[in-house]
Structure formats: C-alpha cells, structure tokens
Amino acid sequence: MRATAALLEQPGQPFVLTEVDLDEPRPDEVLVRLAGVGICGTDLEFATFFPTPALLGHEGSGIVEKVGAHVTSVRPGDSVTMSFASCGTCTLCRTGSPAYCRSFDAVNFSGRRPDGSTAVTHEGREVNAHFLGQSSFASHVVAPERAVVRIDSSLDLLRAGPFGCGFQTGAGGVLNVLQPRPGSSIAVFGAGAVGVAAIIAASLSGCAVVAAVDVNPAKLEAARGYGATHTVDSSAGPTADQLAALVPEGFDFVIDTTGREDVLRTAVESLGPLGRAGVIGVGPSESMSFDWRSILNGRSVTGIIGGSSLPQVFLPKLLELNAKGQFPVEKMITYFPFEQINEAVAAVRSGAVGKAVLTF
C-alpha cells in the first residue's frame, strides 16, 4: 500500500514529504494508521548519521488497520500507542526486561527486520526503516506486534504517542528503577520532555526535594508547574555549589537526560552516600569519566533504556495517570500538521517547544 512519509534523503538534511510503498503485514506484524507522532531528541540525533534513505520516528499512536495471522494482542479498530521493539525470545525479554533485549540494537537501529528485509520502499529503492519498532514519521507503519500497545479507546490518541518513548523513559527511570522513597531528594538534569516526566514521577513518589537543573530559565520556570520544588540555573553560577546549597549532605538520587559528560560528572558528584545516578540521556558526549572518589561511599551509576519498562504494562498505567490529571504532560505539547515536520524540528532544536507532536 502507499503511505505519505517524511523521508530523510541525506543525513543532516531536512525531511522530504513523499509517497512510499509498504509491505502487507507479516504474520507477526501490525499495520497502524497514524493519528499523531512525537518528535524525540533521539530522532534528531540519528538523523545526523543514520544510513539513508531512511524513515525515522518512534513516538507514534493510531488505529490498527490490519493484523498478521499470528497477532493476538490487538485487532483492527483498536487504539494503540507504539514503543520499542524486542526479540521476545532472549532471557531478558522472557523475564520481563525487553528494554535490555540482547538483540535491542539489531531490532531497533539496523533499519531492517531481523531477516535483513525492509517493509518500506521508495521509487524502487529499499528504505532503512523499522526505527525503534516503528518508523512512524509516516501516515501508516508496519510494526512488530511486540512494539504495539493497545490502549483504551477513550484516550486522546494525539497525546498518547510521546508516552511510548520520552514520557515513558523519564517516568520509568524514576518509578521503575530509582524508586525513591517518600521524603528523599532528587535532582533532574535537563528540563525537557524526558526531564519533566522524571520530575512529575518524583513528585508522585513523594520526594521532598525535586531540583530541576537546566540553562533555560523558561524551562526551569515551567518545571515548577510540574512538581519541581527547586530550580538550578546552570548558567547563573557553578552548578555544584548551587546543588550543595540545596542539599548539603548530597542528593539521594540524580537523573541525567542531557548525555553530556560534564553534566553527568556534576550529577554524580552531587550524590550523597549510597546515592544513585540514572543515566537516560542520548547526547553529544561519546564517553563519560569520573574521579574514582566520586563513586565511593556506595554511590552507583545505572544506565536506563526505555524507562526499564514493560510497555504493555507500564504505558496503560501512565496514560491512566494522565487521564486522571496526575501526569499532566499535555501542558508541554505543541501540535503541528505533519506537513510542517521541518518547522516542528526547528522548534524542538531551538527549545521553543517542550514536545512537538505531528498530527495527520
């Protein structure tokens, strides 16, 4: 079938709207008609180097149109949001940790199905797709069943897409991994979409101190509306000194969403004894380094993918919290028609919007 897609013809170049051809879904696949798709920092990062022609996008939500013969979890007409793919057969998948699937890179970042094929072609050329189980910068996607999550039909589909990556990642990092106890302290480095989700989750967990750290005063002011008890403007003076003034004995937990070596070093060094750092940012730094003394006294650094969640369980719960007004991320969403994808990307890059969602 034909679908309208935002194709990346060359790394680092604008997206080009065009028509692509999609395979019929295989026995373990689902055809989804998109309602909305969020733009995530991971899309923008991979757009600088992913093999082209490429179809990115991984925060999609929509309606199931067709299912393969072996699909049992969804049926045509179901409302769904989509998340990362996983093999379903390795030990980690089978024990409820698909975010750490032993084939994670192969099934999410190779641009191909596990057998090396692609469901997307453009003018006879194979397109590198299947990005994080989706490639949802398109009107329709062919996704593996394991990447599709059925949600209640009463939920706002346009709002649901970003829950599959950014919001799930930030919230899961706190709720599933760090699990702060009531009264504890946490600092969240980066007050974008992922950071805001972490801040809300920390507030829901009863943290007494929730410090948002950023260089953008507007983001810091917005963070207070999501539950931050304190804000730290890194451009206004040494971040370490400002954090020490808030919690002299050191923070119990920190979350880094920036992917910057200097920021993560500051985050780890701001921990107190037995403090835990969660690393969930994909950013510009290829390596991280610390003074060995900064992880003594029981401090630990944990990498977190996809909020360490089982999407089929965690996403419906997170969306239910949102529907009840307890996870109000919709305040940071700005909607753009799909045709304005490049304008939306520019707004995300500049920080003019917190979370851009493309609508169909």
Side-chain angles (χ1 to χ4, degrees), residues 2-321:
R2 302 302 295 272
T4 301
L7 211 61
L8 185 68
E9 291 281 5
Q10 295 293 333
Q13 296 298 308
F15 293 96
V16 177
L17 259 65
T18 187
E19 296 292 309
V20 298
D21 292 298
L22 297 181
D23 288 352
E24 288 293 308
R26 290 181 174 182
D28 63 343
E29 292 179 333
V30 178
L31 176 67
V32 178
R33 171 171 51 84
L34 271 292
V37 56
I39 296 177
C40 176
T42 304
D43 294 312
L44 306 188
E45 181 75 15
F46 275 77
T48 65
F49 63 82
F50 203 64
T52 54
L55 184 56
L56 302 177
H58 66 285
E59 290 187 343
S61 57
I63 302 293
V64 174
E65 289 201 338
K66 293 182 181 180
V67 299
H70 298 163
V71 172
T72 60
S73 63
V74 294
R75 59 186 180 181
D78 281 348
S79 295
V80 296
T81 190
M82 292 178 281
S83 193
F84 55 82
S86 54
C87 75
T89 59
C90 72
T91 303
L92 293 169
C93 283
R94 289 185 172 185
T95 53
S97 299
Y100 306 104
C101 171
R102 296 189 187 280
S103 300
F104 193 91
D105 286 355
V107 298
N108 287 289
F109 299 127
S110 69
R112 302 287 168 143
R113 293 183 175 110
D115 66 0
S117 67
T118 176
V120 186
T121 56
H122 176 245
E123 296 179 347
R125 297 181 301 164
E126 293 188 338
V127 174
N128 290 303
H130 306 280
F131 185 65
L132 277 160
Q134 303 174 44
S135 285
S136 48
F137 284 166
S139 61
H140 295 75
V141 302
V142 173
E145 181 182 14
R146 289 184 61 80
V148 177
V149 180
R150 182 183 178 278
I151 61 175
D152 194 285
S153 60
S154 66
L155 296 174
D156 184 344
L157 271 177
L158 298 185
R159 187 187 304 171
F163 280 78
C165 181
F167 298 152
Q168 170 178 248
T169 297
V174 175
L175 298 176
N176 296 334
V177 181
L178 298 184
Q179 299 181 358
R181 63 191 178 279
S184 58
S185 59
I186 186 170
V188 179
F189 290 74
V194 176
V196 162
I199 288 167
I200 296 173
S203 180
L204 288 172
S205 299
C207 290
V209 176
V210 182
V213 184
D214 208 293
V215 295
N216 186 322
K219 287 185 177 181
L220 290 173
E221 181 61 30
R224 288 191 176 274
Y226 294 110
T229 61
H230 300 78
T231 58
V232 173
D233 185 346
S234 294
S235 67
T239 304
D241 293 345
Q242 295 184 69
L243 290 168
L246 293 179
V247 185
E249 68 274 18
F251 282 81
D252 298 310
F253 304 96
V254 296
I255 285 274
D256 174 59
T257 73
T258 70
R260 293 180 57 96
E261 180 181 9
D262 56 335
V263 174
L264 182 57
R265 184 184 302 114
T266 298
V268 172
E269 291 174 352
S270 72
L271 289 168
L274 296 178
R276 297 183 65 195
V279 183
I280 57 180
V282 177
S285 298
E286 294 184 1
S287 62
M288 299 290 172
S289 63
F290 315 101
D291 186 304
W292 64 272
R293 288 166 292 191
S294 66
I295 57 172
L296 290 180
N297 295 328
R299 300 181 183 98
S300 62
V301 180
T302 302
I304 304 170
I305 295 175
S308 263
S309 75
L310 181 58
Q312 284 73 14
V313 174
F314 189 62
L315 288 180
K317 290 181 179 179
L318 209 57
L319 285 161
E320 182 180 354
L321 288 172

